[in-house]
C-alpha cells in the first residue's frame, strides 16, 4: 500500500547551493575562504519580499537592488511570471531561510528563463555597495559578483545573455562572457 505524504507548503527562500567568497582577516590583512548560501526568492513568502525591499533601502539608492525588489513584488503579485522570472540572493545566512536577514544579503540577481532553447537573460545584478570593488581600501568581502555569476552558470539552461553597463563590461569579460554587440554592450556566455 502506498501512503502519500501530506501536502505541505514551504514558504522560505529556496537553497540552491553553497558557494565561496573571501573574507578579510583584519589581524593578518589576508583573505580566507568563507562559505555562503546561494538562494532563490520565494514569491509566496512575504518575509522574503520584505527582506529584498529592506535590502534595497539599506543599500541607499542603488538602482538595481531597488528594481530587483520591485520585480520581486511583481512576481509575488502575479504581474510577472513566476515560472520565467527568478530572483537569486547571495547571503551569509546558513539556515532559517524562512526569514532572510537583510544584513546578511550580499548580492542580488534577476534572471529570466523564457525557454530551454533560448539563452537565460540576466536582467539585473548588484552586490552590496559596501563590498564593491575599490582600489582605495581593503574590503571586508571579495568575490561576491564572481560567486553569483558562477552559481548562475551552474543552474542556467545553456547560456546567459545580458546587456552590460560600460563600467561592468570588463567584469563580464573576466567571467567568460563574449561580446555579441558592441553598440549595446550585449554579452553571452555558453556552457
Amino acid at each position: 500500500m502506498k501512503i502519500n505524504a501530506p501536502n505541505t507548503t514551504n514558504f522560505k527562500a529556496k537553497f540552491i547551493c553553497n558557494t565561496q567568497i573571501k573574507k578579510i582577516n583584519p589581524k593578518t590583512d589576508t583573505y580566507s575562504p568563507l562559505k555562503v548560501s546561494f538562494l532563490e526568492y520565494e514569491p509566496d513568502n512575504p518575509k522574503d519580499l520584505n527582506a529584498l525591499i529592506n535590502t534595497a533601502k539599506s543599500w541607499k539608492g542603488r538602482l538595481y537592488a531597488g528594481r530587483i525588489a520591485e520585480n520581486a513584488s511583481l512576481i509575488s503579485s502575479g504581474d510577472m511570471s513566476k515560472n520565467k522570472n527568478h530572483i537569486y540572493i547571495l547571503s551569509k545566512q546558513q539556515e532559517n531561510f524562512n526569514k532572510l536577514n537583510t544584513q546578511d544579503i550580499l548580492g542580488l540577481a534577476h534572471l529570466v528563463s523564457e525557454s530551454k532553447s533560448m539563452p537565460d537573460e540576466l536582467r539585473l545584478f548588484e552586490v552590496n555597495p559596501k563590498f564593491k570593488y575599490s582600489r582605495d581600501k581593503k574590503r571586508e568581502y571579495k568575490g561576491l559578483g564572481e560567486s553569483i555569476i558562477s552559481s548562475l552558470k551552474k543552474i542556467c539552461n545553456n547560456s546567459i545573455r545580458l546587456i552590460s553597463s560600460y563600467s561592468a563590461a570588463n567584469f563580464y569579460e573576466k567571467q567568460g562572457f563574449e561580446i555579441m554587440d558592441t553598440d549595446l554592450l550585449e554579452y553571452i556566455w555558453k556552457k
Side-chain angles (χ1 to χ4, degrees):
M1 173 168 76
K2 183 178 176 184
I3 300 174
N4 291 326
N7 188 5
T8 59
T9 306
N10 193 1
F11 293 120
K12 64 181 180 180
K14 179 181 172 189
F15 176 81
I16 303 294
C17 64
N18 283 315
T19 186
Q20 279 192 355
I21 60 171
K22 294 180 180 177
K23 183 178 185 341
I24 197 162
N25 179 336
K27 292 178 184 174
T28 62
D29 207 27
T30 59
Y31 287 93
S32 301
L34 176 69
K35 182 173 84 169
V36 293
S37 301
F38 188 67
L39 312 167
E40 184 173 0
Y41 166 72
E42 170 51 59
D44 295 324
N45 184 355
K47 292 177 187 176
D48 277 11
L49 181 56
N50 285 335
L52 294 183
I53 291 168
N54 290 332
T55 296
K57 287 178 185 175
S58 72
W59 290 4
K60 296 197 175 33
R62 294 298 178 190
L63 177 65
Y64 298 133
R67 288 183 56 201
I68 290 169
E70 287 173 15
N71 288 348
S73 178
L74 292 170
I75 295 166
S76 291
S77 69
D79 292 325
M80 288 178 88
S81 169
K82 292 178 186 181
N83 295 328
K84 294 179 181 178
N85 292 278
H86 306 276
I87 306 291
Y88 295 100
I89 303 159
L90 186 70
S91 177
K92 294 184 289 182
Q93 194 167 332
Q94 293 294 308
E95 56 187 19
N96 299 324
F97 300 129
N98 60 325
K99 189 170 190 306
L100 295 176
N101 184 344
T102 301
Q103 286 75 33
D104 288 342
I105 295 177
L106 300 169
L108 301 169
H110 177 192
L111 191 75
V112 177
S113 300
E114 291 290 336
S115 72
K116 291 193 186 276
S117 63
M118 293 177 60
D120 291 340
E121 183 182 346
L122 181 57
R123 292 244 174 109
L124 300 164
F125 171 57
E126 188 161 34
V127 298
N128 185 327
K130 271 192 338 191
F131 312 121
K132 199 172 180 180
Y133 176 77
S134 169
R135 291 187 175 121
D136 300 335
K137 60 180 178 163
K138 289 276 186 177
R139 298 171 282 157
E140 184 177 0
Y141 300 103
K142 285 172 78 171
L144 305 178
E146 293 92 337
S147 182
I148 292 171
I149 293 295
S150 69
S151 297
L152 290 173
K153 286 176 177 178
K154 290 176 188 173
I155 62 172
C156 76
N157 287 324
N158 294 308
S159 56
I160 301 172
R161 181 180 105 32
L162 60 89
I163 306 290
S164 178
S165 65
Y166 180 76
S167 62
N170 247 1
F171 167 78
Y172 290 117
E173 289 173 12
K174 287 179 183 176
Q175 303 310 310
F177 285 79
E178 295 179 11
I179 190 96
M180 292 173 49
D181 185 328
T182 55
D183 292 334
L184 285 176
L185 287 180
E186 182 179 9
Y187 284 87
I188 193 157
W189 174 87
K190 295 179 182 178
K191 282 188 179 181

